[in-house]
Amino acid sequence: MESIFSKHILKFLLISLIISSYTFSTSAVRSVRSAPPKTSTDFIRRSCRATTYPRLCYNSLSIHASKIQTSPQLLAGTALNVTLSSAKTTSTMLLNLSLSHGLKPREAAAMKDCVEELSESVDELRDSIGEMNKFNKGRNYNFKIMINDIQTWVSAALTDENTCSDGFLGHTMNGKLKAVVRSQIVNVAQLTSNALALINKYALIHG
Ligand SMILES: *[C@@H]1O[C@H](CO)[C@@H](O)[C@H](O)[C@H]1NC(C)=O
Ligand SMILES: *[C@@H]1O[C@H](CO)[C@@H](O)[C@H](O)[C@H]1NC(C)=O
């Protein structure tokens, strides 16, 4: 009971920390004020500069340039969708691995924790996408409250992914399995971090 309680407090503190460190990013403020971009790929490249993993950001989003155009809302929405899709694939992969034979009990336990954390992160990303889609429907919404919820859920998703990948840092796993699983989760976490930065940028422009 006590450990579950403190785990939740820790998660909440981490989320607050993540949100505050992203919200006051000065590079996001700077790029809002520069001249308008000419093409969609130009827009995506510039927007991705405000993220922590700009190359991954550009590579994962430029293939959707025709849909994104130069809309910060569509950019953030697409980033969330790309992240969800990657989180779902990774979640299935982990579930497959966790069911495979030949895992030591400690490996199976770490894998099971990770599957749970990733599934929470998938739910949180789904909730954010659902909320994001409401921006197009009707005028009866409070943007600040909704974008705040989205930021909180995406931060929570990132925390869950990091908790999962931290579980693989120890000596629990055999080397090869650990490397495969970690690289997948790290990729999801980097996509999530980028999506959060783009959401924060959108919030800043809109607000
Ligand atoms: C993201 O996915 C949802 C659900 O599939 C879809 O309705 C929405 O249009 C997508 N958003 C973008 C920006 O592509
Ligand atoms: C998980 O296993 C199923 C059934 O064996 C397979 O069809 C699927 O491609 C696997 N998915 C991943 C992401 O490894």
Side-chain angles (χ1 to χ4, degrees):
M1 217 34 215
E2 206 176 292
S3 86
I4 292 173
F5 185 64
S6 57
K7 200 180 150 192
H8 279 288
I9 291 184
L10 186 66
K11 185 167 157 183
F12 178 76
L13 287 175
L14 281 172
I15 290 168
S16 315
L17 203 73
I18 291 169
I19 292 179
S20 56
S21 70
Y22 276 85
T23 308
F24 301 107
S25 156
T26 49
S27 64
V29 176
R30 215 182 303 123
S31 49
V32 168
R33 295 199 183 117
S34 54
K38 289 181 191 69
T39 65
S40 179
T41 49
D42 184 28
F43 165 70
I44 295 168
R45 185 177 294 109
R46 281 201 213 178
S47 306
C48 281
R49 276 186 207 142
T51 69
T52 308
Y53 311 98
R55 188 193 296 256
L56 175 67
C57 176
Y58 181 76
N59 289 342
S60 61
L61 292 171
S62 57
I63 46 173
H64 303 289
S66 62
K67 184 166 189 182
I68 293 168
Q69 298 159 33
T70 57
S71 155
Q73 187 192 339
L74 289 174
L75 182 70
T78 306
L80 274 179
N81 283 1
V82 166
T83 305
L84 175 64
S85 153
S86 168
K88 275 158 69 179
T89 310
T90 301
S91 179
T92 311
M93 190 196 87
L94 276 196
L95 193 61
N96 280 4
L97 280 172
S98 74
L99 298 174
S100 75
H101 300 291
L103 281 187
K104 297 190 189 96
R106 277 202 309 181
E107 293 175 337
M111 201 72 100
K112 187 169 167 280
D113 286 349
C114 228
V115 166
E116 271 166 29
E117 280 139 13
L118 264 189
S119 124
E120 278 183 37
S121 123
V122 164
D123 288 345
E124 284 147 354
L125 290 168
R126 273 213 188 96
D127 287 345
S128 336
I129 289 167
E131 202 74 346
M132 199 81 182
N133 284 341
K134 287 187 196 158
F135 287 137
N136 301 323
K137 296 173 190 137
R139 282 169 290 164
N140 261 340
Y141 60 76
N142 183 323
F143 181 83
K144 274 214 158 71
I145 289 175
M146 283 167 73
I147 202 79
N148 234 297
D149 284 345
I150 293 171
Q151 288 166 322
T152 304
W153 287 327
V154 178
S155 304
L158 184 56
T159 304
D160 285 323
E161 292 152 11
N162 285 334
T163 308
C164 165
S165 76
D166 287 350
F168 284 85
L169 277 178
H171 298 292
T172 328
M173 293 281 152
N174 84 51
K176 199 176 161 198
L177 187 61
K178 185 156 87 178
V180 170
V181 171
R182 275 211 80 222
S183 75
Q184 289 293 321
I185 298 162
V186 165
N187 185 60
V188 174
Q190 291 183 347
L191 286 172
T192 308
S193 154
N194 284 348
L196 184 57
L198 296 175
I199 289 163
N200 291 337
K201 203 165 177 239
Y202 167 54
L204 215 61
I205 294 165
H206 191 286

